[in-house]
Amino acid sequence: MEPERRGLRKGGDSKESESWKRHIILQLKSRDSKQKSRFQDLIRSYVNLLERCSQKAFITKGILSATRPLLLPSSEDALSSLKTSTGELAYKVVELQQQIKIKEALLDKQHARLSEMENELGVVQLEQGRLQGSVAEVQERNQLLKSEYDALLEYYQNTDTVYRKEKLYGSELLEDMIRWKQQAAARMNSRNERRVRAREAGLHKKLEVAANKKLDIDEAPQSASLPSSPLSKRSESGERLERSHGRLFRSASATSPRILNSLRDLFERKRRGNSVCSLEEDLYTPLGICLAARVPAKAIYSVDAHEQGINAVRFSPRSALLATGGTDRVIKIWDIKAGVLQNRGTLDGSNEGITSIEFDSTGTRILAASYDKSALFWRLDDCVPKFTLTGHSRKVTAARFKCNLKQVVTGSADRTVKIWDLHRAACIQTIEVLSYCSDVVCSEYYIISGHYDRKIRFWDSRAASCTQEVPLQGRVTSLDISPNHRELLSCSRDECLQLVDLRMSNTRMVFRAEGFKCGSDSTKAIFSPDGCYLAAGSADGAVYVWNVSSGELETRLSDMHRCSITAVAWSMSGEYVVSVDKSRRAILWSDV
């Protein structure tokens, strides 16, 4: 018990400041007092028994020494009884000692467990201190983050306020701009109407003079075509001028210089204004004439026309201008003078590369397709697009004027062909064409599209339905329609060109040549302006020209391009051919 007290006293002295230790000490003391009170009676009884035993032993020793000779038998009985009582007491003492040892072992175990708990408590206290430090750090970081969040929230609120003000200001500016544009458009329309009325009056007088004018010609033209005019009337002598839109003059009698000069005097005039709405002017513009195209024989001029590769090239119907478009996002206009390409200007506005170019029949407007999912419309007297046709979800691969010049057809990689109204600059019809569309051509009622699924499809634009499919052996890269609108030329990745008879809708002739190979999925092949020849560029940098009548290769123009040719163009006069390639070079070819 004494070691236990010392242990408790030592523990109490070292940890008096901690309440839980004091509580344990108090419990131990209470248990000690309870157990000690139980053993006090045993200890006192044991001491009394020892004293009595010692007294009895002393008395017995004296009695035995005094009365040994006389009372031997009786003394033996007393001794035996004394031994009996002493043994019982000793047995009880032994039992009590064993119980004391057991209690001391239990107490030692309790002390060991108490020390273990103290050690664990120390470790837990250290961990608690560490966690409290971590909590303090986290709280400090949270406070910093909260301060930053409050600052960002305040900045956002201020920025949002500024944004709303700017948005309101922008909407006001847009409304003002729309109002100004409407007023400017009204003024422009008024001026155009006055010009048209004045032109109609002048044209009416000229038509009357021309109708009364007598011409001496040996053979009268049987089908001379004049541009259709809503203003032409019957002449006083009853003669009537025939009108049509889609054909070039081809008969020798119709191309008499005296007739042509008379017609030119009637219809040539200086174009004024920038409005795209006065489409009536186009009806009176003379068309280009080609009696016979000449097969080019040599390169007469070479120029790096763009900063990057060139994708498209096109001559104007009057053969005076050439347009090229490339991946540098611009269209460049060129004059051909004395066998030299002279840069006349640049048309900007596209956000990505140009994929195709087409002039209208007047040669004053340009339509281009672009990689930026749109088609753009320019007038040559303005370098900024008049408007942009947007609505496709992927790049626009082709854009063409319809025969009436009031509508435009575009083909796209998004597997659609769209028809647009130029008056409203809006899509009026969308045709699902089932496959990637690489090129389109148009007639009055039909749209013809070429596709990556190796098919040419004929669409009725009035019903948006496919009327016929012509299968090929390779991906279609380009389409072109003959000047007489009777034959369709296709170029495909099976390294050949094919003619399709539009009257029979079947393949008429296949054109191949050793070494000819399509360099890309957008390689362009074309008719000559008289329809007698075909021209296409090859991956080996050569221009191949075939004769339509014989089907044989007419010539191969090489040694000028360094890489694959993407497109070729043939002037309406039949005198020049221009080829362009991916390395930004343009080559002018001629027969002299």
Side-chain angles (χ1 to χ4, degrees), residues 293-475:
R294 291 178 286 183
V295 177
K298 62 179 180 179
I300 60 174
Y301 188 73
S302 173
V303 63
D304 288 339
H306 287 255
E307 295 180 358
Q308 299 179 26
I310 307 174
N311 299 325
V313 60
R314 182 76 67 172
F315 274 99
S316 72
R318 298 181 181 180
S319 300
L321 296 178
L322 176 75
T324 57
T327 55
D328 56 358
R329 308 180 182 182
V330 299
I331 293 177
K332 291 191 176 182
I333 308 299
W334 307 83
D335 272 327
I336 301 179
K337 294 182 178 180
V340 176
L341 292 176
Q342 297 180 357
N343 190 3
R344 176 174 172 177
T346 301
L347 304 180
D348 302 309
S350 177
N351 295 320
E352 294 188 29
I354 302 297
T355 59
S356 75
I357 299 173
E358 186 175 37
F359 282 91
D360 69 346
S361 60
T362 68
T364 60
R365 302 172 189 174
I366 287 183
L367 181 66
S370 173
Y371 281 98
D372 65 357
K373 310 173 187 177
S374 67
L376 298 95
F377 183 89
W378 287 270
R379 292 184 66 99
L380 289 183
D381 52 6
D382 190 357
C383 64
V384 179
K386 196 66 179 178
F387 49 77
T388 303
L389 306 176
T390 58
H392 287 285
S393 60
R394 295 180 64 184
K395 70 177 181 180
V396 179
T397 55
R400 305 283 188 181
F401 287 101
K402 291 197 73 176
C403 292
N404 58 11
L405 299 182
K406 297 179 182 179
Q407 294 179 349
V408 166
V409 177
T410 58
S412 171
D414 63 2
R415 301 183 179 185
T416 63
V417 168
K418 292 181 180 289
I419 303 175
W420 308 80
D421 186 351
L422 288 183
H423 285 292
R424 296 179 293 163
C427 178
I428 59 176
Q429 189 175 11
T430 299
I431 304 174
E432 300 290 337
V433 295
L434 308 176
S435 177
Y436 183 114
C437 180
S438 57
D439 202 359
V440 296
V441 292
C442 306
S443 65
E444 185 174 0
Y445 297 113
Y446 283 90
I447 297 172
I448 307 171
S449 57
H451 302 276
Y452 274 17
D453 63 355
R454 306 178 181 181
K455 290 182 180 180
I456 299 173
R457 292 182 171 90
F458 294 76
W459 304 88
D460 187 345
S461 59
R462 296 166 294 184
S465 60
C466 182
T467 59
Q468 190 166 358
E469 292 183 352
V470 177
L472 300 180
Q473 299 301 316
R475 288 182 177 181

Side-chain angles (χ1 to χ4, degrees), residues 49 97 148 154 156 158 180 185 239 253 276 279 289 324 344 365 368 377 389 435 468 515 524 540 549 577-578 581:
L49 286 173
Q97 288 178 349
E148 294 178 0
E154 183 178 0
Y156 166 75
N158 295 333
W180 295 336
E239 296 180 358
S253 59
V276 297
L279 294 176
I289 299 171
T324 57
R344 176 174 172 177
R365 302 172 189 174
F377 183 89
L389 306 176
S435 177
Q468 190 166 358
K524 302 293 189 299
D540 61 0
S549 300
V577 171
V578 173
D581 62 26

Side-chain angles (χ1 to χ4, degrees), residues 174-204:
L174 182 61
E175 292 176 358
D176 293 340
M177 185 179 297
I178 292 173
R179 185 170 61 255
W180 295 336
K181 289 290 185 181
Q182 290 175 347
Q183 294 173 358
R187 292 193 297 269
M188 181 64 69
N189 290 335
S190 178
R191 288 196 296 269
N192 289 337
E193 289 176 1
R194 289 196 297 270
R195 280 200 297 270
V196 169
R197 285 196 294 269
R199 191 178 298 112
E200 288 174 355
L203 182 60
H204 179 63

